[in-house]
Amino acid sequence: MSGYQWRKSSYSANSSNCINIAWRKSSYSADAGNCVNVAADGNGIVLRESDDPEVILTTTPAALRAFIRGAKAGDFDRVQES
């Protein structure tokens, strides 16, 4: 599977009955190190930044679709930093 990177679930400890997650990188990222990886697991969608792969965000498919729709519509273009 090209573009996929397997990761063992942290909940598996040293058990052989573990869950693996197939991380997928955007084809737009090419070989750049600054990309977002996405994967589906039993609880929803998980996201991570390639620069800091230990930080993992979990969301639902519906929430991710809403975020992508908003980003494409420009809803976040004027978000100010606090």
Side-chain angles (χ1 to χ4, degrees):
M1 286 187 211
S2 177
Y4 288 90
Q5 181 180 12
W6 290 94
R7 168 184 150 331
K8 180 180 173 184
S9 170
S10 60
Y11 295 106
S12 300
N14 292 325
S15 175
S16 62
N17 58 347
C18 59
I19 298 169
N20 288 314
I21 296 176
W23 290 104
R24 186 163 182 233
K25 182 176 83 165
S26 170
S27 59
Y28 293 104
S29 298
D31 291 327
N34 56 345
C35 55
V36 174
N37 302 127
V38 65
D41 74 358
N43 299 317
I45 304 295
V46 288
L47 303 154
R48 71 178 182 183
E49 184 179 348
S50 61
D51 292 345
D52 194 1
E54 297 302 315
V55 177
I56 298 172
L57 304 174
T58 303
T59 189
T60 64
L64 183 58
R65 276 192 302 273
F67 174 79
I68 292 170
R69 215 174 12 254
K72 286 181 177 181
D75 293 347
F76 310 115
D77 288 353
R78 297 181 185 239
V79 174
Q80 294 180 358
E81 294 183 29
S82 51

